[in-house]
Amino acid sequence: MRRRQPPAVPPVPFSPAAARAHRAGLGLTPEQVAEGMAAHGVRLLPAHVLGWESGELRPTEEEFIALARALWCPPAQLMGARPARLRDFRVARELNQENAARRIGIPLRQYQQAEATGRWDGGQEESYALAQVLGLRLRELVAVTGRRDELDRLLRQCVDGRWQAHVRAIGRIVPVPEQGLATVLAALQNEYQVSSHWGAGTWGSPAPAAREPAQPEQPLGERFWGLLARQATDIPA
């Protein structure tokens, strides 16, 4: 019976044009870049540098970080786009998996599983640490941990029922102070909830006409982030 092969890891996002531009801006030759990378523990030929700049080759994580250091630029500037995965944010912070897991305060295996699956099951404190260590905004945190659908479901439940019952669950996903989160959820319910109840009037008096439900211009999730951005949080929304 053949052993199942692990899924291939996508290469680190890399912009050949950005690498060429940074090298040219510093006035360095491929040989000098290779020498600079060697000072950071990565030894290779100048041909590798030219291969990356032409797009024929793609650097590994270790090579990518060493290249950024040799070119005196933040790794994210060589990606050509905003990081979109946990792995990309980690590499942008020049961290390997072991260092990232240690700084977050979780077992290495747990962090590796999160990167491999795109799913995160950490609590509020662990999610807060993850965002701080990897430099994630709150919206990015929710996206790269695979919790966007779960957050949308909980927000809908807040609008349709008692928002107080979901503060802690949402706090596990969006690690912000409970008081600020409660303020946001209360406002969200007030804006989106349909209030039309039978028997709202007193006995013998006609019930007031049902109020037309408000039609907010923004989707529920977008409005949540807009309201949260007004709150004082350690991590930007």
Side-chain angles (χ1 to χ4, degrees):
M1 183 176 180
R2 297 181 61 183
R3 179 177 299 177
R4 179 180 298 178
Q5 296 294 322
V9 178
V12 177
F14 179 70
S15 170
R20 288 196 305 272
H22 277 284
R23 180 172 66 81
L26 293 172
L28 298 176
T29 65
E31 289 76 13
Q32 290 172 319
V33 173
E35 290 175 3
M37 293 180 65
H40 296 288
V42 176
R43 298 184 180 278
L44 41 71
L45 297 174
H48 283 84
V49 177
L50 293 174
W52 295 332
E53 292 182 359
S54 68
E56 295 179 7
L57 301 175
R58 297 291 293 269
T60 64
E61 280 189 22
E62 185 181 15
E63 292 168 346
F64 180 87
I65 293 174
L67 176 63
R69 291 173 176 173
L71 294 177
W72 294 87
C73 70
Q77 292 185 7
L78 296 182
M79 289 185 175
R82 181 73 178 171
R85 303 169 182 264
L86 274 178
R87 189 278 312 274
D88 302 343
F89 280 100
R90 172 177 57 78
V91 173
R93 303 288 276 196
E94 302 185 22
L95 296 172
N96 58 30
Q97 291 183 331
E98 292 81 0
N99 289 335
R102 185 174 63 254
R103 294 188 185 188
I104 296 167
I106 60 175
L108 173 59
R109 187 173 185 83
Q110 180 182 350
Y111 180 80
Q112 290 174 328
Q113 183 73 8
E115 276 201 6
T117 64
R119 302 292 302 177
W120 173 258
D121 59 359
Q124 184 171 8
E125 292 184 3
E126 292 172 331
S127 296
Y128 178 89
L130 176 68
Q132 292 283 25
V133 170
L134 299 189
L136 299 165
R137 293 179 176 269
L138 292 172
R139 292 186 71 154
E140 293 169 336
L141 172 67
V142 173
V144 300
T145 54
R147 286 175 151 179
R148 186 178 293 159
D149 290 343
E150 183 183 0
L151 176 61
D152 289 344
R153 176 179 57 80
L154 289 170
L155 292 177
R156 176 51 57 187
Q157 291 176 355
C158 286
V159 169
D160 294 339
R162 295 182 65 254
W163 61 262
Q164 295 89 338
H166 304 289
V167 173
R168 289 189 177 181
I170 294 177
R172 286 174 54 87
I173 302 172
V174 186
V176 297
E178 188 171 303
Q179 183 176 356
L181 184 57
T183 299
V184 169
L185 297 180
L188 201 66
Q189 186 189 62
N190 185 57
E191 292 183 14
Y192 284 77
Q193 188 178 50
V194 177
S195 57
S196 56
H197 304 289
W198 288 98
T202 60
W203 177 258
S205 64
R211 178 166 58 91
E212 285 295 324
Q215 297 296 330
E217 297 180 358
Q218 291 181 303
L220 183 60
E222 287 299 316
R223 184 56 178 158
F224 168 78
W225 291 115
L227 291 170
L228 188 61
R230 301 177 184 177
Q231 301 296 313
T233 58
D234 292 340
I235 305 170

